[in-house]
Amino acid sequence: MAFDVAAGAYAQFMGRYAEPLADQFAELLGVRPGQRALDVGCGPGALTERLVARLGAHAVAAVDPSASFIEAVRARCAGADVRQGTAESLPFDDDSVDLSAAQLVVHFMSDPVAGLKEMARVTRPGGQVAANTWDFYGSRAPQSVFWLAVRDLDPAATAESDPAGAREGHLAELFRAAGMTSLQSAELSVVSSYTGFDEWWHPYTLGVGPPGDYVAALGPDSRGVLEERCRKLLPDGPFDVRATAWAVVARTG
């Protein structure tokens, strides 16, 4: 899936979760100087920036299908090798990196197993292939309250309740289906603080991802009803949202 939105809109919607998640993901990977790394589905560059900080821009590559995100990452991570493309057909040579990582991307791949196979292809033997995905199935994603409200009002709506890799153990299953067997699994959790409901709701009106598409397709009256339902599900005044992601790190070869 390509996000046809400005990088700033994505940052308002998901950046407050993706940025701290990237810190934890980079720590889990044990990124160290001397490695060359590829960020697959880099979005606006949360993980890319962490890789550049640890390895230098010359040792980091990134790829994403969205032109707006590619432009943002090139500005944010000057000197990195940033290309437009998809996980299922990575524009990189075999065995060209020591580490390939995909943050919050597997559930948007048109073919997750093919995407993970491509990540393994471009990673040298003995290198690492890694990914993380929100726990949508366990209702621990940043968007879980939103989709709960949607289902309350429209039980037939298609929600992000069980995309690829979003339930316990499924991300590891996808790695095994892609031919990788030396796996480490982990949970990563982040917390985002909001001053109140309006700060939480506004990003859903920016057209980002499946939630944004859903809101954009509603008429004004239906949108207002959904907004009020969400409001009732969240606390009055300031509140925190905790989000948890599944993570898997595999060794190639």
Side-chain angles (χ1 to χ4, degrees), residues 38-42 61-64 86-87 90 100-103 105 109 115 119:
L38 169 62
D39 184 1
V40 177
C42 59
V63 62
D64 197 276
T86 66
L90 292 172
S100 60
Q103 172 161 295
V105 174
M109 293 180 184
M119 291 172 67

Side-chain angles (χ1 to χ4, degrees), residues 4-252:
D4 188 21
V5 296
Y10 181 90
Q12 289 187 60
F13 179 69
M14 190 54 60
R16 63 196 308 152
Y17 299 96
E19 298 287 339
L21 182 66
D23 288 326
Q24 293 188 31
F25 198 30
E27 286 297 319
L28 177 67
L29 296 172
V31 181
R32 62 186 186 277
Q35 292 180 311
R36 177 167 174 77
L38 169 62
D39 184 1
V40 177
C42 59
L47 181 60
T48 316
E49 184 176 63
R50 274 70 179 178
L51 295 173
V52 167
R54 289 163 172 78
L55 304 176
H58 68 283
V60 176
V63 62
D64 197 276
S66 296
S68 61
F69 289 172
I70 291 300
E71 181 180 356
V73 177
R74 286 174 176 164
R76 183 176 183 176
C77 301
D81 181 4
V82 184
R83 308 183 192 182
Q84 190 168 5
T86 66
E88 295 83 358
S89 183
L90 292 172
F92 297 95
D93 294 335
D94 294 358
D95 305 335
S96 57
V97 298
D98 302 292
L99 163 68
S100 60
Q103 172 161 295
L104 305 177
V105 174
V106 168
H107 43 288
F108 291 121
M109 293 180 184
S110 59
D111 186 336
V113 172
L116 291 171
K117 284 182 177 179
E118 274 289 274
M119 291 172 67
R121 176 186 65 78
V122 303
T123 304
R124 66 167 180 80
Q128 292 175 294
V129 177
N132 63 46
T133 57
W134 293 125
D135 180 15
F136 284 104
Y137 189 79
S139 297
R140 297 192 295 172
Q143 310 94 315
S144 290
V145 169
F146 172 84
W147 287 120
L148 175 59
V150 168
R151 289 192 296 270
D152 285 346
L153 300 170
D154 181 8
T158 300
E160 294 175 291
S161 59
D162 194 16
R167 54 181 166 82
E168 185 173 8
H170 191 230
L171 187 57
E173 291 177 24
L174 294 172
F175 270 78
R176 293 187 186 97
M180 290 172 274
T181 56
S182 179
L183 310 180
Q184 172 193 357
S185 296
E187 289 187 35
L188 307 175
S189 291
V190 298
V191 176
S192 183
S193 298
Y194 294 87
T195 57
F197 177 80
D198 290 342
E199 184 183 9
W200 179 90
W201 171 253
H202 176 68
Y204 286 90
T205 69
L206 300 178
V208 181
D213 290 344
Y214 186 88
V215 172
L218 296 175
D221 291 344
S222 296
R223 186 180 301 187
V225 171
L226 176 59
E227 179 179 352
E228 286 307 307
R229 181 57 186 156
C230 289
R231 189 186 299 272
K232 290 180 179 179
L233 292 173
L234 290 165
D236 293 330
F239 60 89
D240 293 339
V241 174
R242 177 177 292 275
T244 299
W246 305 115
V248 171
V249 182
R251 286 285 178 185
T252 57

